[in-house]
Amino acid sequence: MEIDLTQLSKTMAYALRHHPAQFGLTLDDEGWVAVEALASALRQQRPKWRHVQVADIEAVLSLPGKQRYELRSGRIRAYYGHSIHQRMLREAATPPESLFHGTTPVAYQQICQSGLLPMGRQYVHLSEDRETALQVARRRTSQPIILRVSALAAHQRGIPFYLGNESVWLADSISPDFLSKA
Ligand code: HQG
């Protein structure tokens, strides 16, 4: 039977970002788990995925588009998006001069007051380019608001930034001082 890799990716995100315990999985403090353990957990916990193999998980990582997972030395993790209580440690790095965040008109009103907050996730998610931020916002609204984050200036003031994947950056929070409409 043909495996729907998009659906498999969604279940992987659920397990690796949000609810590893539901699959009997324990992530280490950087979010890693053995890829064989993930495959086995998916087979055992989800009838739909009872035949899934490591090769199918690898095929998800080869899909074009967003790079959501990292596979290294037999272990896998989500690059970003975590909501589980256990804090996922990310590598701090110097960001480019500007990063972008796409949001809704309603959230924007709040963001003007309190800045960007992680809300339901562990980190605020930022995009390297405006177009990607636009796509992120369009998940939620037909009237996207795109914010430019003065990332390098914020970094120079001591605000840490972390690498997500090659185009997603993470931060703990960003005060309104470093935000403008793009
Ligand atoms: C908003 C997807 C009120 C924020 C995407 C956003 C991304 C505030 C929402 C990744 C706020 C959180 C993450 C404040 C921020 N008051 N609202 N102070 N600060 N917000 O989904 O960035 O497809 O947690 O603007 O492509 O939308 O899943 O974050 O609207 O890369 O791989 O609170 O998820 O990737 O929403 O998306 P989210 P996000 P995947």
Side-chain angles (χ1 to χ4, degrees):
M1 198 184 67
E2 190 80 353
I3 289 226
D4 181 336
L5 295 178
T6 303
Q7 283 304 319
L8 179 57
S9 180
K10 288 187 178 177
T11 311
M12 287 164 54
Y14 184 82
L16 295 175
R17 292 175 173 178
H18 310 301
H19 295 291
Q22 278 186 26
F23 291 80
L25 295 171
T26 304
L27 309 184
D28 78 2
D29 59 10
E30 294 179 337
W32 294 104
V33 68
V35 67
E36 188 50 70
L38 175 63
S40 168
L42 291 169
R43 285 194 296 268
Q44 283 170 33
Q45 303 297 328
R46 293 288 187 275
K48 182 175 181 180
W49 303 121
R50 64 191 177 279
H51 298 307
V52 89
Q53 298 294 324
V54 167
D56 301 312
I57 291 172
E58 289 170 350
V60 166
L61 273 73
S62 301
L63 289 173
K66 287 184 184 176
Q67 294 304 299
R68 296 184 169 95
Y69 311 102
E70 181 174 14
L71 186 61
R72 210 196 291 167
S73 307
R75 298 187 306 165
I76 189 168
R77 68 174 171 178
Y79 274 121
Y80 59 86
H82 299 88
S83 71
I84 62 168
H85 182 66
Q86 178 194 354
R87 171 88 163 170
M88 295 291 125
L89 300 178
R90 301 300 313 190
E91 188 189 338
T94 303
E97 185 166 343
S98 296
L99 289 168
F100 298 88
H101 179 88
T103 192
T104 65
V106 171
Y108 175 65
Q109 299 304 320
Q110 282 300 314
I111 291 166
C112 289
Q113 306 293 317
S114 49
L116 285 172
L117 299 174
M119 308 307 285
R121 303 193 200 252
Q122 292 187 3
Y123 296 97
V124 170
H125 288 58
L126 305 169
S127 306
E128 282 211 342
D129 58 280
R130 196 181 186 284
E131 180 56 35
T132 305
L134 194 57
Q135 285 165 19
V136 172
R138 286 210 173 112
R139 288 154 56 237
R140 302 190 190 285
T141 179
S142 58
Q143 297 167 285
I145 307 251
I146 307 302
L147 299 173
R148 181 189 304 272
V149 179
S150 300
L152 191 56
H155 173 77
Q156 286 164 350
R157 297 281 194 87
I159 295 172
F161 287 77
Y162 312 93
L163 292 171
N165 67 13
E166 68 272 13
S167 64
V168 175
W169 284 78
L170 305 170
D172 301 310
S173 64
I174 305 285
S175 90
D177 307 349
F178 298 108
L179 300 174
S180 56
K181 264 197 178 178

